[in-house]
Amino acid sequence: MIQISNEKLTVTVNPQGAELQSIVRNDTGLEYLWSGDPAYWGKKSPVLFPVVGGLKDNTYHYDGRQYTLGRHGFAREQLFAVIGQSTDHARFHLSDNEATRKVYPFHFDFTVQYLLQDDQLQVTYLVENLDEKELLFSVGAHPAFKVPLVPDTAYEDYFLYFNKKECAGIWPLSAGGQVEPAPVPFLEKTHELPLKKSLFYNDALVFKDLSSTAISICSKRTPHGLTLAFEGFPYMGIWAAKDADFVCRDSWCGIADSVNASGALEEKEGINRLAPGKTFERTWTATIF
């Protein structure tokens, strides 16, 4: 495990998957990240690459060949190299290898950086195209935060606060995890979404093109919570395993296949296109209070 810290925060990351394991505010000792209880969901904050969500039939085709690739891609199962570390930052690196090229025929460098600044954790994804052809990919965050956060509060005491008033539908997911063709009404001119476990009984809440660039997890019963800023991530998911004490607030550059997806990687909704030699960069932040 790799640990970084400053006066305000201590963060732990596992090189396996470059996955966050802990976010602690030093003055209170509060842990903000989900425990990873395998009875509900054994992950804590998987990194999603080179796809986000599920492919239709777990397959896609590219350049005349068909490939099989599981939900959220392979990065979360790979061992990243630690290529830089100081007191308050760490960098984790993954390159294509023989195993990845069997399911994803591209040459790439993928770096995940964790940086602490005051009471904020900054998480940056850097994707570099090492190939001679255009790189087609998605990338995203899937962090799970502990709810309830403090003792003597309940899950239903917490809510999500959107930094802009939202009037947005959610895009339902099919039984196979694909996005249905039309949204259903959900947020109606509001900043707030009260949390309750039944919200997620039918899988994730999937949003496209929200007005907000930041969402807070907070409660009127405690001053403690966090704000997640995700400018530059056009898709968003909110999810929890059934009856589990957490909420995932996902930021995505990419989205699961639609039920009507053709299977062609070039035609996939939300796919990012990166020219040879170029680098793609996105950062999301968690401000801890």
Side-chain angles (χ1 to χ4, degrees):
M1 296 291 177
I2 301 298
Q3 189 173 90
I4 59 175
S5 63
N6 64 7
E7 289 185 359
K8 296 291 184 65
L9 302 174
T10 297
V11 167
T12 305
V13 184
N14 190 346
Q16 184 69 38
E19 184 178 355
L20 270 171
Q21 298 296 297
S22 175
I23 304 172
V24 173
R25 187 170 173 102
N26 296 333
D27 58 352
T28 62
L30 275 179
E31 172 65 70
Y32 284 72
L33 211 61
W34 157 246
S35 67
D37 183 351
Y40 295 94
W41 187 54
K43 296 288 188 179
K44 295 186 176 185
S45 181
V47 174
L48 315 182
F49 176 86
V51 295
V52 168
L55 298 168
K56 190 176 180 180
D57 300 321
N58 288 326
T59 62
Y60 69 92
H61 51 87
Y62 172 77
D63 196 25
R65 291 188 57 188
Q66 180 170 291
Y67 297 88
T68 299
L69 189 56
R71 186 179 181 90
H72 295 320
F74 51 70
R76 60 184 181 158
E77 308 298 341
Q78 296 283 319
L79 180 63
F80 283 64
V82 181
I83 59 169
Q85 183 184 3
S86 69
T87 302
D88 61 1
H89 95 276
R91 290 168 62 91
F92 300 84
H93 175 257
L94 177 69
S95 289
D96 61 278
N97 54 53
E98 184 177 354
T100 68
R101 289 190 294 272
K102 288 179 180 178
V103 296
Y104 182 65
F106 297 93
H107 297 291
F108 65 86
D109 271 346
F110 179 37
T111 301
V112 182
Q113 175 177 282
Y114 296 93
L115 173 66
L116 297 178
Q117 289 193 339
D118 196 45
D119 58 359
Q120 185 179 90
L121 169 64
Q122 299 179 1
V123 184
T124 299
Y125 304 132
L126 296 156
V127 182
E128 184 179 359
N129 185 359
L130 302 183
D131 220 313
E132 296 179 354
K133 58 182 182 287
E134 192 174 53
L135 184 68
L136 306 176
F137 69 96
S138 299
V139 65
H142 194 16
F145 298 98
K146 187 172 69 171
V147 177
L149 180 61
V150 300
D152 300 321
T153 59
Y155 198 90
E156 293 76 14
D157 292 328
Y158 293 78
F159 60 94
L160 301 183
Y161 182 85
F162 296 75
N163 73 331
K164 295 184 180 178
K165 186 175 285 188
E166 295 289 353
C167 186
I170 54 172
W171 295 77
L173 297 174
S174 70
Q178 276 66 66
V179 180
E180 297 286 2
V184 297
F186 191 70
L187 297 176
E188 298 289 348
K189 298 180 181 178
T190 183
H191 284 280
E192 295 186 8
L193 173 61
L195 287 177
K196 53 184 179 179
K197 292 181 177 179
S198 61
L199 277 174
F200 311 111
Y201 284 0
N202 293 317
D203 211 333
L205 309 178
V206 175
F207 296 88
K208 302 181 183 182
D209 299 317
L210 285 172
S211 299
S212 297
T213 56
I215 297 175
S216 300
I217 301 173
C218 42
S219 170
K220 292 180 172 64
R221 294 196 58 200
T222 175
H224 300 296
L226 66 150
T227 298
L228 294 157
F230 51 96
E231 190 167 1
F233 291 82
Y235 303 98
M236 195 197 79
I238 306 171
W239 175 78
K242 187 175 182 180
D243 293 326
D245 287 335
F246 71 83
V247 62
C248 283
R249 233 298 290 122
D250 300 356
S251 304
W252 300 331
C253 291
I255 194 169
D257 272 355
S258 75
V259 293
N260 299 319
S262 69
L265 191 60
E266 298 94 328
E267 298 173 1
K268 180 173 172 55
E269 181 182 359
I271 202 74
N272 297 284
R273 297 173 174 270
L274 189 63
K278 298 297 184 181
T279 299
F280 172 100
E281 180 175 343
R282 290 291 185 277
T283 298
W284 62 271
T285 66
T287 302
I288 307 300
F289 53 87

